[in-house]
């Protein structure tokens, strides 16, 4: 029994090591440089061993993508517990998304297929992204109980504003200081949230 548990722990450690190595390569060289062979070389395993854990680069990217969505979901749940006011909740969730993108850009890139982090598995099929989206929809609904279609429209507006501005800030990092982009982001989100009342 103990041997089986040890093997399972070892497999999980190897799996985590593969994911961490992929993120590290992406952080240093960009997602275009990430390959199963390069990961295998970095962790000193053969490529077939890595394929035992992830059948393809897409499966690996999808795992990293879902990890990012699960992390944001946990942060959103924390915010829901801390703040009662829906306006404050939505604003803080938006700020959490910004901070996540700035602090972990390589994961954010995979989540939204940015900067060469292209995963062919559709993000809309992800349970993790749907959970995250439902959290925002619930907050919007708490402002103004409306039909499902109206809430979806407002959610799309929020998501377009938040994700669009984050993506632009990442792209324009060399032309505009991140601090200025963050201030514009905060002001825009604040206006959107106030407009829901």
């Amino acid at each position: 029994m103990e041997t089986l548990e040890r093997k399972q722990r070892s497999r999980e450690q190897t799996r985590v090591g593969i994911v961490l190595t992929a993120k590290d390569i992406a952080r240093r060289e960009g997602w275009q440089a990430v390959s199963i062979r390069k990961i295998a070389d970095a962790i000193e395993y053969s490529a077939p061993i890595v394929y035992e854990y992830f059948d393809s680069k897409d499966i690996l990217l999808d795992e990293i993508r879902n990890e990012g969505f699960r992390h944001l979901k946990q942060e959103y749940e924390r915010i829901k517990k801390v703040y009662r006011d829906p306006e404050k909740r939505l604003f803080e969730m938006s700020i959490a998304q910004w901070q996540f993108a700035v602090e972990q850009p390589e994961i954010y890139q995979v989540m939204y297929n940015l900067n060469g982090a292209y995963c062919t598995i559709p993000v809309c099929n992800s349970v993790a992204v749907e959970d995250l989206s439902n959290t925002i929809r619930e907050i919007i609904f708490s402002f103004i109980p409306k039909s499902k279609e109206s809430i979806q429209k407002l959610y799309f507006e929020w998501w377009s504003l938040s994700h669009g501005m984050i993506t632009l800030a990442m792209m324009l990092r060399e032309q505009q200081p991140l601090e200025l982009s963050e201030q514009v982001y905060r002001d825009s989100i604040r206006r959107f949230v106030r407009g829901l009342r």
Side-chain angles (χ1 to χ4, degrees):
M1 189 69 161
E2 192 175 303
T3 304
L4 182 61
E5 289 175 5
R6 193 175 320 119
K7 281 183 181 180
Q8 287 174 332
R9 269 197 315 273
S10 177
R11 279 194 62 78
E12 185 57 30
Q13 288 172 344
T14 301
R15 184 179 178 82
V16 168
I18 291 168
V19 170
L20 290 173
T21 301
K23 291 189 286 191
D24 185 53
I25 293 168
R27 191 176 303 113
R28 288 183 286 113
E29 303 174 44
W31 281 106
Q32 302 87 334
V34 175
S35 69
I36 297 295
R37 168 130 340 263
K38 195 165 201 168
I39 294 167
D41 290 345
I43 63 173
E44 300 177 348
Y45 279 107
S46 66
I49 297 292
V50 177
Y51 280 114
E52 285 182 27
Y53 293 87
F54 298 98
D55 291 339
S56 67
K57 182 178 173 181
D58 274 340
I59 302 288
L60 174 61
L61 293 179
D62 193 50
E63 173 68 26
I64 294 168
R65 167 194 284 166
N66 287 323
E67 175 188 310
F69 287 122
R70 286 189 301 268
H71 175 84
L72 276 176
K73 172 71 173 168
Q74 288 175 341
E75 186 61 17
Y76 287 6
E77 291 302 319
R78 184 195 66 76
I79 289 166
K80 280 172 61 176
K81 289 177 185 170
V82 172
Y83 302 104
R84 295 180 92 79
D85 177 43
E87 186 174 323
K88 185 69 172 165
R89 282 179 172 177
L90 187 56
F91 180 78
E92 290 299 325
M93 288 175 185
S94 302
I95 297 306
Q97 183 150 322
W98 171 275
Q99 289 171 336
F100 180 80
V102 169
E103 292 167 7
Q104 300 187 54
E106 66 284 347
I107 297 176
Y108 194 83
Q109 290 164 359
V110 172
M111 290 165 67
Y112 297 106
N113 286 345
L114 303 171
N115 295 5
Y118 186 71
C119 178
T120 61
I121 299 170
V123 69
C124 59
N125 293 348
S126 166
V127 172
V129 77
E130 191 58 29
D131 285 346
L132 192 69
S133 300
N134 284 337
T135 301
I136 297 296
R137 286 186 195 102
E138 288 168 15
I139 300 298
I140 292 172
F141 184 79
S142 68
F143 273 91
I144 37 172
K146 288 191 171 188
S147 70
K148 190 174 183 177
E149 293 80 24
S150 296
I151 296 301
Q152 181 61 24
K153 179 184 173 290
L154 290 169
Y155 165 74
F156 186 75
E157 287 177 21
W158 171 84
W159 190 76
S160 299
L161 176 64
S162 179
H163 174 61
M165 292 190 79
I166 289 170
T167 302
L168 285 171
M170 292 173 101
M171 287 175 21
L172 300 173
R173 264 189 138 132
E174 304 299 316
Q175 290 84 12
Q176 179 168 297
L178 204 53
E179 297 76 24
L180 177 58
S181 294
E182 182 178 1
Q183 189 55 54
V184 172
Y185 177 82
R186 285 174 174 269
D187 292 345
S188 299
I189 292 292
R190 195 172 282 117
R191 275 192 301 276
F192 174 83
V193 171
R194 287 183 182 148
L196 292 175
R197 292 241 177 233

